[in-house]
Amino acid sequence: MSDNELRPIVVGVDGSAGGAAALRWAVEEARRHDCTIDAVSVWHMDYGVMMAPEAVASGLDAASIEAANRSALDAATAEVGDVELRRILIEGDAKKLLVEMSRDARMLVVGNRGRSAVAELLLGSVSAYCVHHASCPVVVIKAP
């Protein structure tokens, strides 16, 4: 086996329709190539909001947000049963962490939410960042 054959397909899973489509595509690709999948969900905590006294009372503490994201990742990947899948939940900047994970990946698969060009310009695009900075081939799946 070559080194590339041992590398996983890394797929970004964020609870969006584009993320779900990316996961479905990655599962089919993993079946074709008999390889594993790393399903990565990245969450971000706005620590400025957490400083407010009401934050913990309203469920905005880091533990609650992490638990909600863990549940979403588990739900998104629940139907995947016939390929080896590793669920990875990590806090940070999604685009930078996905690019970092691409270093050891066979390919990186991400969804595209299909926002307008203006929204992409103002908010940035994880998929565009990954295409330009990843260390492996990147597949961008449009939201259905």
Side-chain angles (χ1 to χ4, degrees):
M1 262 192 205
S2 73
D3 182 48
N4 193 50
E5 290 174 327
L6 299 174
R7 294 176 178 215
I9 294 173
V10 173
V11 59
V13 178
D14 65 358
S16 70
L23 179 61
R24 285 191 301 273
W25 191 91
V27 167
E28 289 302 317
E29 194 68 11
R31 285 182 188 132
R32 267 191 225 92
H33 296 283
D34 193 28
C35 65
T36 62
I37 293 177
D38 283 353
V40 180
S41 181
V42 181
W43 64 281
H44 175 74
M45 185 70 226
D46 184 345
Y47 288 97
V49 171
M50 280 189 57
M51 300 305 280
E54 307 83 26
V56 174
S58 62
L60 291 178
D61 61 292
S64 296
I65 292 171
E66 183 177 8
N69 280 278
R70 169 67 62 196
S71 294
L73 177 60
D74 290 345
T77 57
E79 300 294 315
V80 179
D82 59 339
V83 297
E84 185 179 337
L85 181 131
R86 187 168 65 143
R87 292 169 182 88
I88 300 170
L89 179 65
I90 189 165
E91 180 186 9
D93 182 328
K95 61 184 178 266
K96 291 180 180 175
L97 288 168
L98 288 169
V99 164
E100 183 179 318
M101 294 195 76
S102 77
R103 290 186 194 128
D104 297 319
R106 167 189 294 251
M107 73 178 62
L108 174 61
V109 183
V110 292
N112 181 302
R113 292 183 183 203
R115 290 192 274 243
S116 71
V118 173
E120 292 293 341
L121 181 63
L122 294 174
L123 300 173
S125 168
V126 171
S127 58
Y129 186 89
C130 290
V131 165
H132 289 95
H133 295 90
S135 301
C136 65
V138 178
V139 178
V140 179
I141 305 295
K142 286 283 206 182

